[in-house]
Amino acid sequence: MKAIQIREIGGPEVLQLVDLPIPAPGAGQVLLRVESIGMNFIELYFRKGQYKATLPMTPGSEAAGTVEECGPGVNGFRPGDSVAAVGVLGSYAEYALVPAAQLVKVPDGVTPEQAAAAMLQGMTAHYLAYSTWPLKAGETCLIHAGAGGVGLLLTQMAAKIGARVITTVSTEEKAELSREAGASDVILYSQQDFVAEVKRLTNNKGVDVVYDSVGKTTFEGSLNCLRPRGLLALFGGSSGPVPAIDPIQLSSKGSLFITRPTLWHYILTRDELERRASDVLNWVKSGDLKLRMEHIYPLTEAGHAQCEMENRRTTGKILLEP
Ligand code: NDP
């Protein structure tokens, strides 16, 4: 099978197309024939060595396709089922092994591309809006990188709940996309002081919650945008890791809360995984959640696609086709 492999840490050029044997599913595993691969920032962190991996490795964290073969002890899935999964290490390939516990069925009417585009970023937006800070109608949230993959989905969910959504983006084109998704106010943080803008937009009250995936360049400002006892949900570091913080700052800035959540802790049980995946995939099916699949690249262009993500040239979801 064709697969992308990384033999060393480095730039996009270390993503090499290779031929590998199709793996056989072990106990509790399913062999997935990959039809669409969702690209995510975490693959860049592994490639650059920010997250540690054993090399050589095939990158990947999300895929949708068809069950090809079930290993011993797999219940609830059979060959031919249309499925999707997150946490599929090695999904940049024609086939991938997936623990059945991580697999969900894709409803009829949802394509593999839609499933691969929706699962990881959609469930992330879902836990942020419904669990980390269960948003209520009338509350105000700030979402950084509002035209990004998670940003567009989180904006739609927050707006549907009835929250006021303020977003930050770097370009006018991204601002337009963010407004279309439901943001009432969009700040060009590449040109404007986003803290001053948030203060102005909220009559100096601050927002109830900041969803910050940008990290290094926004972290300090995000804390300064919160109302007393507000929450900073720092869920990524697209601009780099944040500096260490003295907890006394949380007190002086208004008895604030910070959390550094990750999706894996919000799909800990089978029930939680199925509930979040089912909400997201059924909203896609009904049209309540709109996906922006900006580009579908062939597997051979994985390096180029990662480069586009790294250089802030993408909006919505980037997919690979095996
Ligand atoms: P995005 O599509 O949001 O892409 C990242 C965006 O961040 C860019 O488009 C850009 O938007 C903005 N950005 C700001 N500064 C930089 C910079 N220096 N370099 C690159 N981008 C920058 O990606 P995703 O939606 O896939 O993921 C967003 C973040 O969320 C990632 O950090 C990812 O790791 C994290 N994440 C965390 C999860 C969790 O559970 N904790 C799960 C899923 C994702 P702009 O040009 O508008 O500034």
mmCIF file of all heavy atoms in Angstrom, residues 41 45 120-121 124 127 145 148-150 169-170 174 189 213-214 235-239 260-263 310 312 314 316, ligand 1:
data_model
loop_
_atom_site.group_PDB
_atom_site.id
_atom_site.type_symbol
_atom_site.label_atom_id
_atom_site.label_comp_id
_atom_site.label_asym_id
_atom_site.label_seq_id
_atom_site.Cartn_x
_atom_site.Cartn_y
_atom_site.Cartn_z
ATOM 1 N N PHE A 41 -3.273 19.861 12.914
ATOM 2 C CA PHE A 41 -2.026 20.482 13.361
ATOM 3 C C PHE A 41 -1.130 19.521 14.142
ATOM 4 O O PHE A 41 0.082 19.655 14.130
ATOM 5 C CB PHE A 41 -2.342 21.712 14.232
ATOM 6 C CG PHE A 41 -2.056 22.994 13.514
ATOM 7 C CD1 PHE A 41 -2.905 23.439 12.502
ATOM 8 C CD2 PHE A 41 -0.932 23.743 13.798
ATOM 9 C CE1 PHE A 41 -2.642 24.597 11.816
ATOM 10 C CE2 PHE A 41 -0.654 24.907 13.119
ATOM 11 C CZ PHE A 41 -1.514 25.337 12.129
ATOM 12 N N TYR A 45 3.132 18.977 14.728
ATOM 13 C CA TYR A 45 3.883 18.947 15.996
ATOM 14 C C TYR A 45 4.768 17.691 16.040
ATOM 15 O O TYR A 45 5.907 17.742 16.482
ATOM 16 C CB TYR A 45 2.934 18.952 17.208
ATOM 17 C CG TYR A 45 1.974 20.136 17.291
ATOM 18 C CD1 TYR A 45 0.707 19.982 17.849
ATOM 19 C CD2 TYR A 45 2.320 21.403 16.840
ATOM 20 C CE1 TYR A 45 -0.184 21.052 17.940
ATOM 21 C CE2 TYR A 45 1.437 22.474 16.926
ATOM 22 C CZ TYR A 45 0.185 22.287 17.473
ATOM 23 O OH TYR A 45 -0.699 23.329 17.565
ATOM 24 N N LEU A 120 -12.676 15.211 13.994
ATOM 25 C CA LEU A 120 -11.757 15.708 15.033
ATOM 26 C C LEU A 120 -12.050 17.166 15.395
ATOM 27 O O LEU A 120 -12.231 17.515 16.563
ATOM 28 C CB LEU A 120 -10.305 15.530 14.585
ATOM 29 C CG LEU A 120 -9.285 15.586 15.717
ATOM 30 C CD1 LEU A 120 -8.105 14.657 15.453
ATOM 31 C CD2 LEU A 120 -8.781 16.980 16.000
ATOM 32 N N GLN A 121 -12.155 18.004 14.374
ATOM 33 C CA GLN A 121 -12.409 19.417 14.666
ATOM 34 C C GLN A 121 -13.835 19.622 15.182
ATOM 35 O O GLN A 121 -14.073 20.469 16.041
ATOM 36 C CB GLN A 121 -12.151 20.257 13.409
ATOM 37 C CG GLN A 121 -10.668 20.257 13.029
ATOM 38 C CD GLN A 121 -10.383 20.923 11.699
ATOM 39 O OE1 GLN A 121 -11.286 21.137 10.896
ATOM 40 N NE2 GLN A 121 -9.123 21.239 11.457
ATOM 41 N N THR A 124 -14.036 18.482 18.753
ATOM 42 C CA THR A 124 -13.304 19.463 19.570
ATOM 43 C C THR A 124 -14.199 20.675 19.839
ATOM 44 O O THR A 124 -14.349 21.118 20.984
ATOM 45 C CB THR A 124 -12.008 19.896 18.848
ATOM 46 O OG1 THR A 124 -11.205 18.739 18.676
ATOM 47 C CG2 THR A 124 -11.247 20.933 19.646
ATOM 48 N N TYR A 127 -16.903 19.649 22.418
ATOM 49 C CA TYR A 127 -16.597 19.605 23.859
ATOM 50 C C TYR A 127 -16.304 20.995 24.407
ATOM 51 O O TYR A 127 -16.624 21.302 25.563
ATOM 52 C CB TYR A 127 -15.472 18.594 24.183
ATOM 53 C CG TYR A 127 -14.036 19.041 23.999
ATOM 54 C CD1 TYR A 127 -13.447 19.978 24.853
ATOM 55 C CD2 TYR A 127 -13.237 18.512 22.995
ATOM 56 C CE1 TYR A 127 -12.130 20.371 24.695
ATOM 57 C CE2 TYR A 127 -11.919 18.905 22.833
ATOM 58 C CZ TYR A 127 -11.366 19.839 23.687
ATOM 59 O OH TYR A 127 -10.051 20.236 23.539
ATOM 60 N N ALA A 145 -8.518 32.659 15.779
ATOM 61 C CA ALA A 145 -8.416 31.924 14.508
ATOM 62 C C ALA A 145 -9.804 31.459 14.063
ATOM 63 O O ALA A 145 -10.037 30.279 13.782
ATOM 64 C CB ALA A 145 -7.439 30.739 14.625
ATOM 65 N N GLY A 148 -10.404 29.212 11.031
ATOM 66 C CA GLY A 148 -9.692 27.935 10.985
ATOM 67 C C GLY A 148 -10.678 26.775 11.031
ATOM 68 O O GLY A 148 -11.899 26.979 11.093
ATOM 69 N N GLY A 149 -10.130 25.571 11.013
ATOM 70 C CA GLY A 149 -10.974 24.380 11.019
ATOM 71 C C GLY A 149 -11.861 24.336 12.252
ATOM 72 O O GLY A 149 -13.099 24.302 12.150
ATOM 73 N N VAL A 150 -11.266 24.342 13.428
ATOM 74 C CA VAL A 150 -12.059 24.333 14.657
ATOM 75 C C VAL A 150 -12.842 25.642 14.759
ATOM 76 O O VAL A 150 -14.027 25.650 15.126
ATOM 77 C CB VAL A 150 -11.170 24.153 15.917
ATOM 78 C CG1 VAL A 150 -12.024 24.211 17.175
ATOM 79 C CG2 VAL A 150 -10.400 22.833 15.873
ATOM 80 N N VAL A 169 -9.124 37.016 13.362
ATOM 81 C CA VAL A 169 -8.586 36.390 12.142
ATOM 82 C C VAL A 169 -7.501 37.318 11.597
ATOM 83 O O VAL A 169 -7.416 38.470 12.002
ATOM 84 C CB VAL A 169 -9.660 36.218 11.030
ATOM 85 C CG1 VAL A 169 -10.771 35.279 11.451
ATOM 86 C CG2 VAL A 169 -10.236 37.556 10.608
ATOM 87 N N SER A 170 -6.712 36.807 10.631
ATOM 88 C CA SER A 170 -5.589 37.618 10.149
ATOM 89 C C SER A 170 -5.865 38.371 8.848
ATOM 90 O O SER A 170 -5.115 39.272 8.506
ATOM 91 C CB SER A 170 -4.347 36.740 9.965
ATOM 92 O OG SER A 170 -4.569 35.797 8.941
ATOM 93 N N LYS A 174 -10.602 35.946 5.525
ATOM 94 C CA LYS A 174 -10.960 35.084 6.655
ATOM 95 C C LYS A 174 -12.075 35.725 7.486
ATOM 96 O O LYS A 174 -12.938 35.027 8.021
ATOM 97 C CB LYS A 174 -9.715 34.809 7.510
ATOM 98 C CG LYS A 174 -8.700 33.893 6.823
ATOM 99 C CD LYS A 174 -7.556 33.509 7.748
ATOM 100 C CE LYS A 174 -6.615 32.500 7.089
ATOM 101 N NZ LYS A 174 -5.573 31.996 7.978
ATOM 102 N N TYR A 189 -6.724 40.642 14.143
ATOM 103 C CA TYR A 189 -5.676 40.753 15.162
ATOM 104 C C TYR A 189 -4.290 40.955 14.580
ATOM 105 O O TYR A 189 -3.347 41.235 15.309
ATOM 106 C CB TYR A 189 -5.718 39.620 16.188
ATOM 107 C CG TYR A 189 -5.553 38.172 15.728
ATOM 108 C CD1 TYR A 189 -5.495 37.155 16.684
ATOM 109 C CD2 TYR A 189 -5.487 37.795 14.398
ATOM 110 C CE1 TYR A 189 -5.361 35.820 16.331
ATOM 111 C CE2 TYR A 189 -5.365 36.455 14.024
ATOM 112 C CZ TYR A 189 -5.311 35.482 14.999
ATOM 113 O OH TYR A 189 -5.189 34.165 14.640
ATOM 114 N N SER A 213 -6.651 28.811 20.523
ATOM 115 C CA SER A 213 -5.826 27.734 19.951
ATOM 116 C C SER A 213 -4.535 28.292 19.381
ATOM 117 O O SER A 213 -3.743 27.554 18.814
ATOM 118 C CB SER A 213 -6.595 27.029 18.827
ATOM 119 O OG SER A 213 -6.842 27.933 17.769
ATOM 120 N N VAL A 214 -4.337 29.595 19.505
ATOM 121 C CA VAL A 214 -3.158 30.221 18.884
ATOM 122 C C VAL A 214 -1.965 30.184 19.845
ATOM 123 O O VAL A 214 -0.824 29.955 19.448
ATOM 124 C CB VAL A 214 -3.513 31.648 18.395
ATOM 125 C CG1 VAL A 214 -2.277 32.383 17.901
ATOM 126 C CG2 VAL A 214 -4.552 31.567 17.273
ATOM 127 N N PHE A 235 -6.582 25.650 23.998
ATOM 128 C CA PHE A 235 -6.633 24.273 23.473
ATOM 129 C C PHE A 235 -5.645 24.012 22.349
ATOM 130 O O PHE A 235 -5.658 22.946 21.740
ATOM 131 C CB PHE A 235 -8.063 23.890 23.070
ATOM 132 C CG PHE A 235 -8.623 24.617 21.879
ATOM 133 C CD1 PHE A 235 -8.621 24.026 20.622
ATOM 134 C CD2 PHE A 235 -9.152 25.882 22.007
ATOM 135 C CE1 PHE A 235 -9.140 24.675 19.510
ATOM 136 C CE2 PHE A 235 -9.667 26.555 20.901
ATOM 137 C CZ PHE A 235 -9.662 25.946 19.651
ATOM 138 N N GLY A 236 -4.745 24.960 22.076
ATOM 139 C CA GLY A 236 -3.738 24.713 21.043
ATOM 140 C C GLY A 236 -2.641 25.748 21.095
ATOM 141 O O GLY A 236 -2.698 26.693 21.892
ATOM 142 N N GLY A 237 -1.659 25.539 20.235
ATOM 143 C CA GLY A 237 -0.512 26.453 20.195
ATOM 144 C C GLY A 237 -0.037 26.637 18.767
ATOM 145 O O GLY A 237 1.133 26.404 18.466
ATOM 146 N N SER A 238 -0.936 27.090 17.876
ATOM 147 C CA SER A 238 -0.561 27.231 16.463
ATOM 148 C C SER A 238 0.607 28.197 16.279
ATOM 149 O O SER A 238 1.386 28.062 15.346
ATOM 150 C CB SER A 238 -1.751 27.717 15.640
ATOM 151 O OG SER A 238 -2.826 26.838 15.785
ATOM 152 N N SER A 239 0.751 29.182 17.184
ATOM 153 C CA SER A 239 1.865 30.136 17.053
ATOM 154 C C SER A 239 3.038 29.755 17.946
ATOM 155 O O SER A 239 4.059 30.442 17.957
ATOM 156 C CB SER A 239 1.396 31.550 17.409
ATOM 157 O OG SER A 239 1.101 31.632 18.792
ATOM 158 N N ARG A 260 -6.309 23.594 30.044
ATOM 159 C CA ARG A 260 -5.599 23.204 28.814
ATOM 160 C C ARG A 260 -6.175 21.862 28.394
ATOM 161 O O ARG A 260 -5.610 20.797 28.674
ATOM 162 C CB ARG A 260 -4.088 23.143 29.079
ATOM 163 C CG ARG A 260 -3.249 22.697 27.880
ATOM 164 C CD ARG A 260 -3.457 23.629 26.683
ATOM 165 N NE ARG A 260 -2.602 23.256 25.549
ATOM 166 C CZ ARG A 260 -2.974 22.410 24.576
ATOM 167 N NH1 ARG A 260 -4.121 21.784 24.607
ATOM 168 N NH2 ARG A 260 -2.149 22.184 23.566
ATOM 169 N N PRO A 261 -7.367 21.898 27.773
ATOM 170 C CA PRO A 261 -8.070 20.647 27.480
ATOM 171 C C PRO A 261 -7.568 19.962 26.212
ATOM 172 O O PRO A 261 -6.975 20.603 25.341
ATOM 173 C CB PRO A 261 -9.507 21.127 27.252
ATOM 174 C CG PRO A 261 -9.356 22.493 26.662
ATOM 175 C CD PRO A 261 -8.095 23.076 27.252
ATOM 176 N N THR A 262 -7.824 18.692 26.122
ATOM 177 C CA THR A 262 -7.534 17.954 24.896
ATOM 178 C C THR A 262 -8.685 16.979 24.623
ATOM 179 O O THR A 262 -9.317 16.461 25.558
ATOM 180 C CB THR A 262 -6.159 17.262 24.969
ATOM 181 O OG1 THR A 262 -5.924 16.628 23.730
ATOM 182 C CG2 THR A 262 -6.066 16.247 26.074
ATOM 183 N N LEU A 263 -8.961 16.782 23.346
ATOM 184 C CA LEU A 263 -10.127 15.982 22.936
ATOM 185 C C LEU A 263 -10.172 14.615 23.619
ATOM 186 O O LEU A 263 -11.228 14.138 24.017
ATOM 187 C CB LEU A 263 -10.113 15.811 21.408
ATOM 188 C CG LEU A 263 -11.156 14.884 20.786
ATOM 189 C CD1 LEU A 263 -12.578 15.338 21.090
ATOM 190 C CD2 LEU A 263 -10.955 14.781 19.262
ATOM 191 N N GLU A 310 0.910 25.419 7.930
ATOM 192 C CA GLU A 310 1.915 26.048 8.784
ATOM 193 C C GLU A 310 2.023 27.545 8.502
ATOM 194 O O GLU A 310 2.306 28.338 9.389
ATOM 195 C CB GLU A 310 3.253 25.367 8.463
ATOM 196 C CG GLU A 310 4.242 25.395 9.549
ATOM 197 C CD GLU A 310 5.331 24.353 9.287
ATOM 198 O OE1 GLU A 310 5.349 23.719 8.207
ATOM 199 O OE2 GLU A 310 6.166 24.195 10.169
ATOM 200 N N ARG A 312 -0.329 29.605 7.528
ATOM 201 C CA ARG A 312 -1.598 30.309 7.755
ATOM 202 C C ARG A 312 -2.366 30.581 6.479
ATOM 203 O O ARG A 312 -3.150 31.514 6.413
ATOM 204 C CB ARG A 312 -1.365 31.636 8.481
ATOM 205 C CG ARG A 312 -0.694 31.500 9.803
ATOM 206 C CD ARG A 312 -0.248 32.833 10.353
ATOM 207 N NE ARG A 312 -1.335 33.589 10.976
ATOM 208 C CZ ARG A 312 -1.134 34.576 11.844
ATOM 209 N NH1 ARG A 312 0.095 34.909 12.191
ATOM 210 N NH2 ARG A 312 -2.143 35.232 12.357
ATOM 211 N N THR A 314 -4.479 28.488 5.082
ATOM 212 C CA THR A 314 -5.668 27.636 4.938
ATOM 213 C C THR A 314 -6.854 28.195 5.720
ATOM 214 O O THR A 314 -6.684 28.947 6.678
ATOM 215 C CB THR A 314 -5.387 26.212 5.454
ATOM 216 O OG1 THR A 314 -5.073 26.293 6.851
ATOM 217 C CG2 THR A 314 -4.241 25.568 4.718
ATOM 218 N N GLY A 316 -10.818 26.558 7.137
ATOM 219 C CA GLY A 316 -11.587 25.326 7.223
ATOM 220 C C GLY A 316 -10.700 24.096 7.229
ATOM 221 O O GLY A 316 -9.615 24.114 7.797
HETATM 222 P P1 NDP B 1 -6.566 26.069 11.985
HETATM 223 O O1 NDP B 1 -7.294 25.772 10.727
HETATM 224 O O2 NDP B 1 -7.263 26.911 13.023
HETATM 225 O O3 NDP B 1 -5.176 26.725 11.622
HETATM 226 C C1 NDP B 1 -4.441 27.457 12.543
HETATM 227 C C2 NDP B 1 -4.747 28.952 12.432
HETATM 228 O O4 NDP B 1 -4.116 29.575 13.534
HETATM 229 C C3 NDP B 1 -4.155 29.598 11.202
HETATM 230 O O5 NDP B 1 -4.922 29.460 10.032
HETATM 231 C C4 NDP B 1 -4.062 31.033 11.665
HETATM 232 O O6 NDP B 1 -5.290 31.735 11.465
HETATM 233 C C5 NDP B 1 -3.842 30.895 13.185
HETATM 234 N N1 NDP B 1 -2.483 31.256 13.567
HETATM 235 C C6 NDP B 1 -2.144 32.319 14.335
HETATM 236 N N2 NDP B 1 -0.822 32.409 14.459
HETATM 237 C C7 NDP B 1 -0.277 31.401 13.743
HETATM 238 C C8 NDP B 1 1.061 30.995 13.475
HETATM 239 N N3 NDP B 1 2.112 31.665 13.976
HETATM 240 N N4 NDP B 1 1.261 29.927 12.692
HETATM 241 C C9 NDP B 1 0.226 29.244 12.189
HETATM 242 N N5 NDP B 1 -1.071 29.584 12.410
HETATM 243 C C10 NDP B 1 -1.330 30.652 13.182
HETATM 244 O O7 NDP B 1 -6.171 24.695 12.640
HETATM 245 P P2 NDP B 1 -7.095 23.640 13.376
HETATM 246 O O8 NDP B 1 -8.482 24.131 13.445
HETATM 247 O O9 NDP B 1 -6.851 22.319 12.804
HETATM 248 O O10 NDP B 1 -6.465 23.622 14.820
HETATM 249 C C11 NDP B 1 -6.376 24.822 15.566
HETATM 250 C C12 NDP B 1 -5.538 24.576 16.784
HETATM 251 O O11 NDP B 1 -6.288 23.787 17.686
HETATM 252 C C13 NDP B 1 -4.205 23.876 16.574
HETATM 253 O O12 NDP B 1 -3.243 24.497 17.402
HETATM 254 C C14 NDP B 1 -4.472 22.470 17.051
HETATM 255 O O13 NDP B 1 -3.332 21.834 17.527
HETATM 256 C C15 NDP B 1 -5.491 22.715 18.133
HETATM 257 N N6 NDP B 1 -6.368 21.577 18.381
HETATM 258 C C16 NDP B 1 -6.494 21.166 19.662
HETATM 259 C C17 NDP B 1 -7.338 20.161 19.995
HETATM 260 C C18 NDP B 1 -7.538 19.809 21.418
HETATM 261 O O14 NDP B 1 -8.386 18.992 21.738
HETATM 262 N N7 NDP B 1 -6.801 20.395 22.334
HETATM 263 C C19 NDP B 1 -8.060 19.398 18.956
HETATM 264 C C20 NDP B 1 -7.942 19.975 17.633
HETATM 265 C C21 NDP B 1 -7.088 21.003 17.366
HETATM 266 P P3 NDP B 1 -5.207 33.315 11.191
HETATM 267 O O15 NDP B 1 -4.452 33.440 9.890
HETATM 268 O O16 NDP B 1 -6.603 33.774 11.106
HETATM 269 O O17 NDP B 1 -4.443 33.896 12.333
#
